[in-house]
Amino acid sequence: MKLLLTQIIAFSCLSVTCMAQQGQPVYQSKAFSIFSNEVRQGNYKATALSSSAMTSDYRSPDADRYSPTLSFKFSINSRDNEMVSGQDHHVTLQPVNGQCVTNVQFGKQYTGTRPMTPGINLPPNTRWTIRLDMREVIKAFNEKGYYILYNGERLDKADFKGVYIAGSAAPLIWDFNNLRNHPELELKDPDGDGIYETTLVMNKQSDEKHTAAEWKLSRDITAFPQYKSDYPISDALYNLALEEMVKAVEPDSTFRTGKEWAGVWTRDISYSIILSMAHLQPRVAKYSLLRKVKNDRIIQDTGTGGAYPASSDRIVWAIAAWELYKVTGDREWLQQAYKVVRNSVEDDLKNIYDPSTGLMRGESSFLDWREQTYPRWMQPADIYESENLGTNAVHYQAIKILSQMASLLNEPAAVTKYEQIAAKIKQGINTHLWMADKGYYGQYLYGRNFRSHSPRAEALGEALCVWFGIADEKQQKSIVEVVPVMDYGIPCIYPQIPGIPPYHNNAVWPFVETYWGLASAKAGNERSVLEAIAAVYRPAALFLTNKENFVASTGDFAGTQINSSNMLWSLSGNLALVHKILFGIEFRADSLLFHPFVPKALQGKRSLSGFKYRNATLNIEMTGFGNTIRTFELDGKSMSAAAISESMSGTHSLRIVLENTFFPTSAINKRPNCITPETPVTKYANGQLSWNKIRDAKSYAVLKNGKRYLNTTTNTLKISSGTPAEYQVMAVDRNGISSFASEPIAVTGKQWQQNFEMEEFAPKAPYGYKSYRGKGFVEISKTANRSITVAVDIAVPGTYSVAFRYANGNGPVNTENKCAIRTLSVDGAFAGTIVLPQRGTNEWSNWGNTNSVQVKLSKGHHLLTLVFESQNENMNGNINQAMIDSMSLCYLHP
């Protein structure tokens, strides 16, 4: 009785203390503050009037700014191919009678800026005519049949599909790959004089950037768990997220990704289901997951170069499917999901697994906009070759889950097999991506025949490695303390890439912030957990919606390249803050566990009523702070474990009293924004490696075969062409921050390489495409040349790289699903996978190189076969086609 009385008094004191301190901030930084019922940022304020109503006077600083001085650039075929990266045209628009004209020549930098009084805006609805002189390009097309771009690439006349303008102010965008989807940005030449033009309306009044000024609950959310606390702002944001969740369900009972994003997307729904949609909307979650299955395999519905396998994070579906099973206990779903996941993993083991590192290949998970996270020189085939932190984290967890599924389905051989594969991936991550000197993981391995390690931090990958237990306890604490975070949250990557506008680069995504919060709770870092909660609550309150993202350096929703309201994974993360961090709810295959994590700043009383777990409904009350449970009562009875059995049914009450134990002092690494130097562009000629001088570079690091070779302050280096090697260069600034490594340049003598014209080994294709070498090229498809064998003779035994020169004009470089895939075998044995991604819609004279497969060849005669096998089905299913010009065989090392 005395103990109960003590607990009641303690609870009352906590509540009184919390309510008495409503005038004090719950969270405060130099950028913004959060109080019990409001968020303040500078002169802006969002206020929770009740749990069902909020107001905000936030206005984007960009809403009242439209500088007459802007940067722009031209683009052929929706590519960044006019001038070297970082070199743009600049103009100050000075309209006369609401109009102005700018004349520019393609490939020659234009500067027409004028000094302007600060704060002066371009008049609204200014009509700007851009006239682009393309006569040099047209002349080259007519005289030679092609034009040489600034970077030495050859653009055939037949592959010229259009010219566009990109830029820094609406309606211009810097998203080169999507310019073709904006017809107003295409310049036309109707009279055929070689002068292309378009007229744009600048500072259109309808472009004003704004969000709602008030929110009032308008949907019925009583079917979902009801949350109440001593913090009205938290309660209101929870209900806002529930309402937006209801709005995010389509008439066919599948999830809508966001207000501006129609349809079901594999990774979006999966990350959302893992966070909270599995237990809040299990039926919709199941329908949505099934929508992303074809031929009993997971669909990779988007990604560079035609989706899978250049992009390979579809496997996150498996983690979502497992979360749904743990929520429902549906045995039939378990069996169905197991088959889909197993088939997908088996394909992955052939198509993307790298046995030399134990890692999976493929684009960064969710970071699927090439230039936003990769150096510009990387083609889709190069991105396929990269081995990324976040992508490997989800592969590890998915294959670990596959083993657990096999155990429940009584398949012991599969349990062992997949446990061992998961262990290899975990070992690969810790061997090849962990940076002991920094105390966290690097972004990815990248390169060609020899890979180097990008030391950027990748927020989602770091978080998943902590949360999934890939990092050990010491690593977990280090990651959360040392990975750079910024004033408004953890940026997707750090440091940022120069010249790339915010979207993934220089941006915070609230759903990633929630995963970071989950990782922080697992690492026991109270300060980081509070920072994560604040970084999700601030934008949701000020913008009165769960936005897709915001600019990391300013915290503003305006300025990112695309930004949807009512974003599924953002709202899912908002809800997960309450369910999975504060209440610490964890679903297991046979039980429901609680391990709350409540920062002292959020101490007090909170309740979650109507929480459904299988056949039970739970009404939960919790008091106190900390992450240690003092009392866990079920229907008034004290329990020894903070867990609920899967067999429980009916309505029950839970009471959780936390120990009010202070957390150990914890640190975070809050940093100002940081931008790396530009990536050098390298050349090799006459025994000399050279590169362009990079602004702000103090020195240059030269890599040889993926390893640091030497440092220099010059921009040239004499190179011996004896033993084959690959060279790259990184620019290093005065703080020791490095750029990306430049495109690898192979320096090798002719005696070390062989080229084989494919038309000598298969029928020549009848198409009139240009720029091939030799006498023609060969078509491969699901019906044409399904198998091609090339006989080679090896004089020097050793490791060789095998690659193909190819064209794939079946789609754009950044999306769709027609990446061609083939298996390479040597003397009848599997050697690896050759990936032939899309290189541009109908650009069949645009030739490039596939990934390379490294093979051990003894002296003598060998048969190399490129063959279409069952695991080589792509996401399209019908079109799996490319043209192959030649095969290269290059000696690398003994």
Side-chain angles (χ1 to χ4, degrees):
M1 185 68 182
K2 287 182 179 179
L3 177 61
L4 179 60
L5 182 61
T6 301
Q7 291 172 348
I8 292 172
I9 293 172
F11 162 70
S12 300
C13 290
L14 281 174
S15 295
V16 170
T17 300
C18 179
M19 296 307 290
Q21 293 181 346
Q22 281 193 6
Q24 299 299 315
V26 172
Y27 169 87
Q28 187 169 31
S29 72
K30 64 180 182 180
F32 66 95
S33 301
I34 297 180
F35 296 79
S36 64
N37 68 331
E38 64 185 29
V39 173
R40 298 177 191 170
Q41 180 181 320
N43 296 324
Y44 302 118
K45 182 172 70 174
T47 304
L49 305 177
S50 68
S51 63
S52 59
M54 287 189 292
T55 60
S56 173
D57 60 7
Y58 183 82
R59 182 177 174 84
S60 169
D62 281 349
D64 298 318
R65 288 200 299 257
Y66 198 111
S67 173
T69 299
L70 54 91
S71 302
F72 63 101
K73 206 169 187 176
F74 297 101
S75 162
I76 293 177
N77 294 353
S78 223
R79 306 276 182 83
D80 184 1
N81 54 11
E82 185 195 9
M83 298 180 292
V84 69
S85 176
Q87 184 175 327
D88 303 325
H89 305 294
H90 305 280
V91 66
T92 300
L93 300 181
Q94 296 179 296
V96 176
N97 297 324
Q99 301 187 51
C100 48
V101 178
T102 302
N103 296 287
V104 187
Q105 183 176 345
F106 185 86
K108 294 191 176 181
Q109 188 177 28
Y110 174 86
T111 301
T113 56
R114 301 286 186 274
M116 298 294 293
T117 304
I120 295 295
N121 289 331
L122 182 72
N125 300 319
T126 294
R127 294 181 63 81
W128 179 35
T129 297
I130 307 100
R131 304 181 77 246
L132 174 64
D133 186 346
M134 289 280 287
R135 286 177 293 188
E136 288 296 319
V137 178
I138 302 303
K139 180 181 178 182
F141 283 160
N142 292 334
E143 292 181 355
K144 297 184 291 186
Y146 61 87
Y147 174 77
I148 300 298
L149 296 161
Y150 82 91
N151 56 5
E153 288 186 5
R154 174 169 160 163
L155 175 69
D156 279 270
K157 181 178 181 179
D159 280 346
F160 176 68
K161 307 302 178 186
V163 61
Y164 304 83
I165 182 170
S168 59
L172 301 179
I173 60 172
W174 280 121
D175 181 6
F176 286 91
N177 289 326
N178 281 315
L179 289 173
R180 58 192 173 84
N181 297 322
H182 295 264
E184 72 278 10
L185 301 181
E186 183 175 6
L187 292 87
K188 299 284 190 177
D189 180 20
D191 58 8
D193 64 354
I195 307 298
Y196 286 67
E197 68 177 65
T198 190
T199 298
L200 302 172
V201 179
M202 310 301 288
N203 196 14
K204 189 185 298 184
Q205 289 184 313
S206 60
D207 287 340
E208 184 181 23
K209 306 176 180 79
H210 65 278
T211 50
E214 64 176 357
W215 167 77
K216 291 182 179 179
L217 183 65
S218 60
R219 296 290 185 97
D220 183 4
I221 58 172
T222 56
F224 305 103
Q226 301 296 294
Y227 175 61
K228 293 182 180 180
S229 72
D230 293 333
Y231 304 88
I233 194 72
S234 178
D235 300 357
L237 290 172
Y238 178 89
N239 288 334
L240 168 66
L242 280 183
E243 179 175 72
E244 291 198 324
M245 176 192 73
V246 172
K247 293 178 180 178
V249 179
E250 299 280 28
D252 65 355
S253 295
T254 60
F255 288 122
R256 182 183 179 91
T257 300
K259 183 179 179 181
E260 308 300 329
W261 292 101
V264 181
W265 299 81
T266 302
R267 71 170 65 93
D268 298 62
I269 62 161
S270 296
Y271 280 117
S272 303
I273 288 167
I274 296 163
L275 286 170
S276 58
M277 291 301 102
H279 64 271
L280 287 173
Q281 301 216 68
R283 183 176 65 92
V284 180
K286 181 178 179 180
Y287 289 167
S288 299
L289 288 170
L290 288 175
R291 183 68 64 85
K292 308 314 296 182
V293 175
K294 182 178 180 180
N295 298 327
D296 289 326
R297 285 162 173 80
I298 305 165
I299 296 172
Q300 182 79 43
D301 48 24
T302 187
T304 288
Y308 184 82
S311 194
S312 63
D313 68 339
R314 62 176 182 164
I315 203 64
V316 69
W317 187 100
I319 309 173
W322 177 242
E323 186 73 9
L324 183 59
Y325 169 71
K326 291 188 296 181
V327 167
T328 64
D330 184 342
R331 188 82 173 180
E332 183 179 341
W333 170 249
L334 175 67
Q335 293 170 332
Q336 187 176 13
Y338 175 70
K339 182 179 180 181
V340 171
V341 176
R342 182 190 60 202
N343 289 342
S344 302
V345 167
E346 289 298 327
D347 285 351
D348 287 346
L349 291 173
K350 287 286 185 71
N351 290 328
I352 64 174
Y353 183 64
D354 180 358
S356 69
T357 61
L359 298 173
M360 295 287 190
R361 299 180 177 92
E363 191 165 35
S364 305
S365 183
F366 123 83
L367 304 173
D368 63 337
W369 184 339
R370 294 167 56 217
E371 296 87 348
Q372 289 281 334
T373 44
Y374 286 96
R376 292 178 180 89
W377 61 262
M378 288 183 72
Q379 296 296 308
D382 298 313
I383 290 175
Y384 161 78
E385 278 277 26
S386 67
E387 298 179 358
N388 167 263
L389 179 65
T391 299
N392 273 279
V394 296
H395 277 283
Y396 161 78
Q397 187 71 359
I399 296 175
K400 178 182 171 185
I401 283 168
L402 184 58
S403 175
Q404 293 173 290
M405 288 178 168
S407 177
L408 290 174
L409 296 172
N410 196 27
E411 294 191 15
V415 172
T416 302
K417 174 182 177 178
Y418 296 122
E419 277 182 349
Q420 291 174 347
I421 295 169
K424 288 179 181 177
I425 296 174
K426 179 178 180 178
Q427 181 180 2
I429 292 172
N430 283 304
T431 300
H432 298 286
L433 295 175
W434 178 254
M435 300 183 296
D437 59 327
K438 292 184 179 292
Y440 54 87
Y441 295 100
Q443 185 181 17
Y444 46 63
L445 302 180
Y446 67 122
R448 286 188 179 146
N449 287 315
F450 302 92
R451 285 173 294 228
S452 57
H453 188 185
S454 172
R456 275 181 171 82
E458 182 200 280
L460 181 60
E462 310 285 353
L464 296 180
C465 284
V466 172
W467 200 43
F468 293 157
I470 295 167
D472 62 29
E473 187 174 339
K474 182 179 179 181
Q475 288 174 311
Q476 291 171 13
K477 293 183 181 299
S478 174
I479 290 166
V480 174
E481 289 185 352
V482 177
V483 166
V485 297
M486 294 170 60
D487 285 340
Y488 297 102
I490 184 166
C492 293
I493 59 171
Y494 190 96
Q496 312 306 323
I497 303 171
I500 300 297
Y503 185 64
H504 295 137
N505 191 58
N506 190 21
V508 175
W509 288 59
F511 95 93
V512 174
E513 191 71 54
T514 297
Y515 278 106
W516 184 248
L518 290 164
S520 301
K522 182 165 185 173
N525 191 314
E526 178 192 24
R527 184 177 174 189
S528 186
V529 169
L530 186 60
E531 289 271 342
I533 293 172
V536 173
Y537 279 0
R538 180 202 68 87
L542 290 174
F543 309 155
L544 294 181
T545 183
N546 288 278
K547 282 284 189 182
E548 181 177 1
N549 51 49
F550 53 86
V551 180
S553 54
T554 66
D556 191 23
F557 68 87
T560 63
Q561 291 297 283
I562 307 170
N563 201 348
S564 177
S565 300
N566 210 133
M567 198 69 183
L568 181 67
W569 49 16
S570 299
L571 67 90
S572 299
N574 202 324
L575 295 166
L577 295 177
V578 171
H579 295 174
K580 293 196 169 182
I581 293 181
L582 295 178
F583 282 91
I585 295 171
E586 179 188 356
F587 293 89
R588 293 281 180 90
D590 58 356
S591 60
L592 184 70
L593 272 58
F594 292 82
H595 37 85
F597 194 109
V598 180
K600 185 177 185 298
L602 296 176
Q603 64 183 323
K605 179 180 178 180
R606 47 184 41 88
S607 65
L608 194 62
S609 59
F611 189 91
K612 293 179 174 56
Y613 172 58
R614 299 194 182 178
N615 295 316
T617 299
L618 306 175
N619 296 316
I620 310 163
E621 290 188 358
M622 184 169 70
T623 60
F625 68 89
N627 62 350
T628 303
I629 295 176
R630 179 196 303 169
T631 303
F632 186 85
E633 293 181 354
L634 174 63
D635 297 329
K637 181 180 179 181
S638 181
M639 308 294 289
S640 59
I644 300 296
S645 169
E646 64 174 331
S647 62
M648 181 172 288
S649 61
T651 301
H652 301 271
S653 63
L654 286 179
R655 182 171 174 269
I656 302 170
V657 179
L658 299 179
E659 194 66 62
N660 291 344
T661 303
F662 288 89
F663 290 95
T665 302
S666 53
I668 61 171
N669 184 20
K670 186 168 282 191
R671 304 293 298 275
N673 202 12
C674 176
I675 302 172
T676 69
E678 277 284 0
T679 304
V681 177
T682 52
K683 298 178 181 178
Y684 176 75
N686 302 318
Q688 180 171 274
L689 185 70
S690 62
W691 54 92
N692 58 317
K693 291 184 178 181
I694 301 299
R695 187 179 63 181
D696 298 330
K698 182 179 180 181
S699 64
Y700 301 93
V702 179
L703 307 183
K704 180 179 180 180
N705 295 342
K707 305 295 182 184
R708 290 247 182 171
Y709 177 53
L710 57 81
N711 295 319
T712 180
T713 55
T714 67
N715 66 323
T716 61
L717 181 68
K718 288 289 185 182
I719 298 292
S720 168
S721 60
T723 305
E726 278 186 354
Y727 292 89
Q728 297 170 276
V729 178
M730 298 188 299
V732 184
D733 70 14
R734 65 182 183 276
N735 297 315
I737 304 297
S738 299
S739 71
F740 282 123
S742 64
E743 183 172 9
I745 287 187
V747 178
T748 183
K750 291 182 178 179
Q751 71 272 27
W752 300 112
Q753 54 188 334
Q754 301 180 60
N755 286 294
F756 302 86
E757 294 298 330
M758 295 305 291
E759 67 272 15
E760 297 177 8
F761 303 93
K764 184 169 68 173
Y767 310 113
Y769 308 143
K770 306 295 184 182
S771 299
Y772 56 84
R773 297 169 184 167
K775 297 179 181 179
F777 53 89
V778 170
E779 178 186 9
I780 58 170
S781 70
K782 294 182 73 171
T783 56
N785 298 309
R786 288 173 62 95
S787 177
I788 304 175
T789 297
V790 179
V792 302
D793 290 301
I794 299 299
V796 179
T799 298
Y800 287 76
S801 71
V802 182
F804 295 83
R805 188 170 188 260
Y806 82 101
N808 183 345
N810 281 312
V813 73
N814 63 319
T815 185
E816 295 191 11
N817 59 9
K818 304 182 193 75
C819 177
I821 315 169
R822 294 296 182 273
T823 292
L824 178 71
S825 66
V826 176
D827 299 327
F830 176 82
T833 298
I834 294 291
V835 174
L836 308 96
Q838 298 162 187
R839 293 183 58 82
T841 303
N842 294 322
E843 294 184 37
W844 287 104
S845 297
N846 178 358
W847 301 90
N849 294 317
T850 67
N851 63 300
S852 63
V853 173
Q854 296 188 15
V855 297
K856 273 278 194 182
L857 296 176
S858 60
K859 184 177 180 179
H861 191 73
H862 297 278
L863 297 177
L864 276 60
T865 302
L866 191 68
V867 60
F868 180 81
E869 295 186 343
S870 59
Q871 73 269 11
N872 300 143
E873 287 285 359
N874 64 11
M875 295 297 106
N876 183 272
N878 296 318
I879 300 174
N880 197 323
Q881 175 200 34
M883 306 298 150
I884 301 184
D885 186 21
S886 60
M887 183 187 82
S888 63
L889 184 65
C890 299
Y891 176 85
L892 298 177
H893 53 77

